[in-house]
Amino acid sequence: DLYSAPDGIYFNNRTSGSVLVDTTTLTFVYEPDETMYLDVPVVIQTIGRQADIDRPVNLKVWSDNAEEGVDYELLTPAVVPAHTSMFSYVVRLKRTEAIKTELKSIYLELSANEYFTTFLKKDSTGSEERPYTEVPDRFFRLLFYSSGRMAS
């Protein structure tokens, strides 16, 4: 067996131009009034071989100004299913009165466990001029609001 590197895990969320991002900003401004939530998939990708078993992921979710159950819900178990190399961790953002006047933030952080390490540091940009960019591998942030202009 030639492959012997440790299995890794990172957030793999990209723009339509395939640029890796560490923050996504969402708004309810353009949604119909009856839309009371948005389900946001946060892509978690593995590095290494797929496994024959489900593998739990150490994922910490917190916020300084949003409350779980009130402003957001966590809909998906933090587990990489067997025979896969990625999954979408779904966060439901709720349309509350508070987001009309305040920008809410939710932070997600990956950490190592018995199945995965968080070692990825660079990603290809596809550019000869600047071939690599630092990877925001362990942290991801969701920002959401509902007013016509974003709160500061």
Side-chain angles (χ1 to χ4, degrees), residues 6-14 18-22 42-48 57-59 80 85-89 108-112 115-124 133-140:
D7 291 335
I9 197 156
Y10 67 104
F11 290 110
N12 190 10
N13 297 276
R14 297 177 182 267
S18 200
V19 175
L20 194 64
V21 294
D22 65 355
V42 178
V43 178
I44 298 176
Q45 177 82 43
T46 65
I47 299 171
V57 172
N58 271 354
L59 180 65
V80 178
S85 57
M86 64 176 283
F87 74 102
S88 291
Y89 186 77
L108 295 88
E109 178 184 4
L110 294 168
S111 60
Y115 299 101
F116 301 105
T117 184
T118 55
F119 60 85
L120 188 65
K121 297 296 176 218
K122 294 185 177 184
D123 186 42
S124 173
T133 184
E134 290 299 309
V135 173
D137 60 338
R138 291 184 41 232
F139 297 96
F140 192 76

